[in-house]
Each structure stands twice: as C-alpha cells, then as structure tokens.
Amino acid sequence: FLFSNSYSNRHDYDEWFYKVCNQCNSKIIIIPSKKRIEFTNLKYIRFWRHWKNELKKVVGAKKSYYYSAALLDAYVDFVNIIYLLNINKIKRVVTLCDCHTVDLMVTEYCNNNNIQTATLEHGYYREKEAFTLSESNYFLGYGENMKKMALHLGFPKQKFVIVGMPQLIDVTLPTVVKKNNNKVIGVILNGADLIDEDIWLIEVAKQFAHKNHYKVFVKQHPGYGSTYYPNGLFAGVDKVFLSNTSSFEFGKMVDFSILTSSTVFVQYLMYLLPVFVGKSVTHLYDSEEWCRFNDVSQLQEKMNGLYSKDLKYQSDMLGARLNYSEVNNVKDNYYRFFNSTL
C-alpha cells in the first residue's frame, strides 16, 4: 500500500487509508519520508540538470527550477519505493491515487513487471483526469454515481469495482437526519481553485444569517491554509475552523451546511448531516434538486423543508445516499477484494 508524498499534507486521509490497509491479511505500507533534501540525492544531479534544461524550453528559466526539483523529489521517491517492492517480492500494489507523479511512475513500473495494481477513490471527483490518466488494473470506487461517471468517460467497466467509502469501515450509519437548533449555518469551502464560489457561499451565508439571526461558521479546505484565501474573505464570519478540523465534527455542531463542489457532500449524505448544495461551474451535484439552491431565498425554502413534519428531506437524503456509496458491506468488500480478487 502506497501513501506517497503527493498527499503528505492531507492528514484527513490517514485514518481511512489505514482502515483500508487493515483489510489485507498480508501487507506492507509505504509512506515515503517528507525530508526533501538529502546528500544521497546528489547522485541523481545529472538527471536534474537534464530535466531543468528541457523544462526551460517549455516553461521558462524560473519555473524550470521548481518543476525539475519537484521531478527530482518524485524520482528519488520512485527509486526507493521500487527498491522496497523488489526486496520484499511484492506482487500487488495499491496506491491512494495513481494520477500523481510518483504513484503513476510506480503503477507503470508494476504494470510492466507483472505486479498487479489497484488505486483507491479518495473523493467525489470533478476532474476527468482521475479516470483518463488512471493506469491501474482496478479502480476501487464508492458507488453507482461514480461508476456511471467513469463509464461515461470511457473507463473500462471491468476495471471499476464498487466497494464503498473507506470511511464507512466499522461504522454504523444513522437512519434519521440530525437536526440541531443552535442557530448556526456552516460553510464548507472548496479552496483556491474555486475561490469565487467560496466568496459567493460566504455572502449567501451572511445574508441568511442576518435575516434569521444565525451565526456563520466556516470550514476551510483540508488542502489549503489560510494564506490561500483573499484578505477580508472572513469579515463578518463568527468563527473560522482551520483546515485540520474534522468535517464530520464541523457538520455535527452546525444546524446545516452549504457547499458547492466539495466531497464533504457525500460524507454528510452518509451520516445524514443536513447539507445544501449551491450552484457551481463544476455541475457536480446538479442532479440533487432536493437540496440545491441558487440564491438566499431558495436556501431559505430548502431549509424550511428540512424542518417540516413530512420528513421529505430525510427521505430524499436516504435515497441519494444509496447512489453515492455502497453502505452495507463496505468492510467485507475491501477484505474480499484484497484477499481474493488480486
């Protein structure tokens, strides 16, 4: 099992990655050192010079130093990982995501050396590259919605295996939507790539809060620190939770959350934590009309439905949950795959 440096800053992945690993009876777990400058790297300096000179022709002199250094780091990790695979006579490799540089290099090496490969779904993808660049023998996915998306993009049907969200291993899911009365609206941010949507979400939240006498809590994206967000973005927000705060704990403390393209939507579906989805350029959750809103008035309408006595919101949420992840046999699915399929 490979947890490469591509995700060294995503500590929110640690727990579920180990949950997955623990379903395999015989395994080694490879987590490369985060130390980036070592004297042993100097023996590869000729490669760095060559890469820098070639990259200079494409991205310019300044960027060529950054990219060539990153490539050197990846190559050193790759060499060390392959060494471990060979001395341990590994026949099966599972990556957290095979689209990043090191993971892809390892996957290609394994595919060319009769070592079976699999990669894990680690979120609800909005980038088609997660499938078009995947070269693993198997893709272990959450549920039917992601499988349909993959097949629509031409991903081979026989490579997609539905196992469920790894976070659900050893978890008993609720059957009733959690309803608080704390007068708090939560905002789940996307990060630097969708900053305009984050600005819009916070503005909608503040308008709603002003009208309904609520407080506004904001949850930063786990992959981005405060420096990624523009100055003044959090003006008028009652509390900002840093990137290392659990999305699950955040969802439990607010009355409901709003977001646009975050994978947290799927997590909240699983745990029946109230959530509403705003408009987005990614159109990731456009099919979920039961919880979508385009402005503060629609958000008000959807929120009223959450607290209505007909329980339609809960019924819709339970129905949607089944589309996004296998929920009944997640632990067994991973166990059978690792100990039988490969």
Side-chain angles (χ1 to χ4, degrees), residues 78-263:
F78 167 74
V79 171
N80 293 332
I81 292 166
I82 297 306
Y83 172 76
L84 290 173
L85 297 183
N86 288 331
I87 64 170
N88 288 284
K89 299 181 179 179
I90 299 298
K91 294 299 181 182
R92 304 159 186 168
V93 170
V94 180
T95 58
L96 190 148
C97 175
D98 65 357
C99 293
H100 292 280
T101 307
V102 178
D103 312 77
L104 181 57
M105 292 166 69
V106 171
T107 299
E108 290 179 340
Y109 174 88
C110 292
N111 289 343
N112 291 325
N113 288 275
N114 201 32
I115 300 174
Q116 292 181 317
T117 54
T119 193
L120 305 172
E121 180 179 346
H122 61 281
Y124 198 69
Y125 301 148
R126 63 174 182 263
E127 300 91 357
K128 65 179 182 180
E129 289 78 14
F131 300 112
T132 58
L133 296 181
S134 177
E135 295 191 13
S136 294
N137 302 138
Y138 298 98
F139 181 97
L140 307 188
Y142 291 176
E144 288 294 340
N145 273 15
M146 188 56 68
K147 183 176 181 179
K148 290 177 183 177
M149 182 187 299
L151 298 186
H152 178 72
L153 293 169
F155 195 74
K157 182 178 181 180
Q158 68 275 13
K159 292 176 62 173
F160 197 104
V161 181
I162 293 178
V163 286
M165 289 183 70
Q167 293 92 330
L168 304 185
I169 294 173
D170 292 326
V171 169
T172 300
L173 291 177
T175 57
V176 178
V177 171
K178 180 177 178 58
K179 295 182 182 179
N180 293 332
N181 191 25
N182 299 327
K183 304 288 282 187
V184 178
I185 177 175
V187 182
I188 306 292
L189 299 185
N190 298 290
D193 56 339
L194 291 173
I195 193 64
D196 288 342
E197 293 185 10
D198 289 342
I199 295 172
W200 177 77
L201 280 171
I202 290 177
E203 182 57 33
V204 168
K206 288 193 291 188
Q207 290 178 24
F208 179 92
H210 177 74
K211 180 179 179 181
N212 294 277
H213 307 290
Y214 270 53
K215 291 182 179 180
V216 178
F217 288 2
V218 171
K219 167 73 173 66
Q220 293 183 359
H221 187 281
Y224 301 95
S226 299
T227 57
Y228 283 89
Y229 300 102
N231 293 332
L233 178 61
F234 303 130
V237 170
D238 294 282
K239 192 169 184 178
V240 178
F241 290 80
L242 301 180
S243 56
N244 59 356
T245 303
S246 163
S247 298
F248 178 63
E249 293 301 324
F250 181 83
K252 291 195 299 181
M253 71 177 69
V254 301
D255 291 17
F256 63 89
S257 299
I258 59 174
L259 50 79
T260 56
S261 296
S262 173
T263 297

